[in-house]
């Protein structure tokens, strides 16, 4: 048994030192991934930043986006301080975007503006980031580990817009990015956060009438949606009316004015209904003073609502009861 073991060991050692042809080695480089390379080195590697970028440019034009990514990433990694690095970083992001890898593309665009803030096409990059965020706002799914479509996320979408705004607070894309944060929050039914986003847009971009008008209108709509979910919280309806009132004052010629006036009327009717229901609650528990307060509120908030006549009748009936009680006590 020992002899056979010794012979087997000797055979393995001999085979290990035999000259044999093997496949090209698998090489990993950060930003490039795994590649097979021949003994003489990669065919697409160059020794100068300019030449390496040219490889990336040519590959991109030929729609070979994988090669474009590799060559661009190597340019940035090997020559990060060269004059060609900003263009290479931009090209890396563009290649990811062309491949439909929007999360990675957005991240690489972010690196462009953070590392090379003086790049000539700065605003174009923000526009591309904005277009990517818009796709996620429209429902595109984010990917788990960058591979598996997992879920849409309005939180992550809002974060994208926030980065765009930080990158260029007064860039052409910033106002709409701020508005789209509100839209993302509305999709979550997070109306308080939506209102905050719209109000921020109205304040920050007040010198842009179209944006400011849209922001104020949408803030009112978000309040309106929230009011419809708040059975006894009349303060939200009041905030909606106040916001829409500002809209009517500031933009009296806006084509949405008739719609806003109808919404205000419906909100006042809703306020009257809410006050009436609270009054009924107090009256059923024989808390007549409280009932009177809320029946009167129902009248004040909307004298023309369907609840107004009922409120007047209940006020008269309660006052009559109180008078009888007072007379009986004497």
């Amino acid at each position: 048994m020992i002899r056979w073991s010794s012979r087997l060991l000797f055979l393995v050692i001999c085979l290990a030192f035999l000259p044999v042809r093997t496949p090209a080695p698998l090489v990993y480089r950060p930003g490039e991934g795994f590649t097979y390379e021949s003994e003489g080195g990669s065919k697409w590697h160059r020794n100068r930043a300019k030449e390496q970028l040219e490889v990336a440019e040519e590959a991109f034009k030929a729609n070979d986006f994988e090669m474009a990514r590799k060559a661009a990433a190597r340019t940035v990694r090997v020559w990060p301080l060269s004059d060609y690095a900003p263009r290479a970083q931009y090209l890396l992001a563009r290649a990811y975007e062309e491949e439909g890898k929007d999360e990675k593309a957005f991240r690489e665009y972010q690196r462009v503006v953070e590392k090379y803030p003086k790049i000539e096409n700065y605003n174009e990059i923000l526009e591309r980031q904005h277009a990517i965020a818009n796709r996620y706002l429209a429902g595109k799914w984010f990917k788990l580990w960058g591979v598996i479509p997992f879920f849409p996320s309005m939180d992550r979408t809002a974060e994208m817009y926030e980065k765009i705004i930080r990158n260029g607070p007064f860039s052409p894309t910033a106002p709409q990015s701020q508005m789209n944060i509100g839209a993302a929050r509305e999709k979550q039914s997070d109306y308080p956060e939506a209102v905050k986003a719209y109000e921020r847009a109205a304040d920050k971009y007040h010198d842009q009438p179209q944006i400011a008008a849209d922001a104020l209108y949408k803030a009112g709509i978000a309040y309106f949606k929230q009011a419809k979910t708040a059975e006894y919280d009349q303060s939200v309806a009041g905030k909606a009316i106040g916001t829409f009132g500002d809209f009517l004052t500031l933009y009296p010629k806006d084509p949405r004015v008739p719609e806003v006036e109808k919404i205000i009327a419906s909100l006042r009717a809703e306020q009257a209904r809410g006050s009436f229901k609270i009054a009924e609650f107090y009256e059923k528990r024989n808390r007549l003073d409280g009932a009177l307060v809320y029946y009167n509120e129902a009248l004040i908030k909307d004298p023309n609502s369907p609840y107004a006549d009922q409120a007047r009748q209940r006020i008269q009936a309660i006052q009559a009861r109180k008078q009888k009680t007072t007379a009986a006590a004497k």
Side-chain angles (χ1 to χ4, degrees), residues 168-230:
F170 297 99
S171 68
T173 54
Q176 193 57 53
S177 291
Q178 183 63 56
M179 293 290 290
N180 286 355
I181 292 174
R185 296 309 181 193
E186 279 197 77
K187 286 196 171 189
Q188 295 176 306
S189 297
D190 189 346
Y191 301 118
E193 286 300 314
V195 167
K196 287 180 184 177
Y198 291 134
E199 288 181 341
R200 193 172 294 123
D203 291 341
K204 193 168 186 177
Y205 305 107
H206 62 274
D207 57 337
Q208 300 184 40
Q210 187 60 55
I211 290 292
D214 286 347
L216 205 55
Y217 168 80
K218 288 186 177 180
I221 292 293
Y223 272 132
F224 177 55
K225 290 178 179 178
Q226 185 182 359
K228 290 196 294 185
T229 67

Side-chain angles (χ1 to χ4, degrees), residues 30-41:
E32 299 175 19
F34 287 98
T35 57
Y36 285 101
E37 297 188 2
S38 64
E39 190 175 316

Side-chain angles (χ1 to χ4, degrees), residues 38-52:
S38 64
E39 190 175 316
S42 174
K43 293 181 179 179
W44 55 270
H45 280 198
R46 298 293 182 270
N47 295 323
R48 298 175 60 190
K50 180 183 177 183
E51 294 172 354
Q52 189 66 75

